[in-house]
Amino acid sequence: MALVNNITGQAKANDYFRQVLATGKHTQVVIMSIPAGDDIGEEVHKDNDQVLYLISGSGQVVLDGQTSDFNTGDLVLVPAGTKHNFITKGDQPMKIITTYSPPHHPDGTIHKSKQDAQNAEDKAKKIATTAAITASTFQVL
């Protein structure tokens, strides 16, 4: 069992783009801070459902090209395979509690900025590609 104390307070105080708070076998709990004028970045999680709950700030959510307002207290379920983005509106960052099912990031992950997150994703893709090439090479041998 993972107990996350005062998650609302942690989310409000968080200035990191992404911080994994707890990871279970089937679900992961993460807090995010998306600066004013920025966004999460359009993405698709092929194998993960994601739930995002807005603690403070405001923005817009784009799901498969459909845009809706995203206001404090709103919750969005993003089913696996859905192209999505969350865009901050106004002069305050969006403070978000999000879950991934199954877990999406290594336990304990902290990305201080969106660029840190992108660099980590690029590195993971490069490692996966190298592993796939290595595996196919050994199959040929």
Side-chain angles (χ1 to χ4, degrees):
M1 177 182 94
L3 172 64
V4 178
N5 290 308
N6 190 17
I7 192 168
T8 302
Q10 287 191 59
K12 286 181 179 178
N14 176 51
D15 289 323
Y16 293 149
F17 180 76
R18 176 181 296 118
Q19 182 176 2
V20 174
L21 298 182
T23 302
K25 184 176 179 180
H26 300 288
T27 303
Q28 183 169 66
V29 179
V30 177
I31 54 177
M32 300 183 78
S33 180
I34 312 305
D38 208 347
D39 64 355
I40 288 176
E42 188 173 86
E43 58 187 359
V44 175
H45 301 300
K46 174 177 84 140
D47 299 318
N48 305 85
D49 287 341
Q50 185 176 8
V51 175
L52 299 98
Y53 177 68
L54 186 59
I55 294 296
S56 66
S58 63
Q60 290 184 313
V61 56
V62 183
L63 300 175
D64 283 336
Q66 300 289 336
T67 302
S68 300
D69 290 335
F70 189 44
N71 296 303
T72 298
D74 289 351
L75 181 141
V76 177
L77 169 61
V78 181
T82 302
K83 185 186 305 183
H84 61 281
N85 195 5
F86 289 75
I87 305 159
T88 302
K89 297 295 180 188
D91 59 356
Q92 298 297 313
M94 287 193 297
K95 303 291 185 157
I96 298 170
I97 298 170
T98 184
T99 63
Y100 297 90
S101 298
H104 187 67
H105 302 285
D107 192 33
T109 293
I110 295 175
H111 295 134
K112 292 183 178 181
S113 68
K114 182 178 170 181
Q115 187 61 55
D116 285 352
Q118 185 61 54
N119 291 345
E121 186 176 316
D122 291 347
K123 183 178 178 181
K125 285 179 184 176
K126 184 176 180 180
I127 290 169
T129 300
T130 301
I133 290 170
T134 301
S136 66
T137 299
F138 282 116
Q139 286 177 349
V140 171
L141 297 175

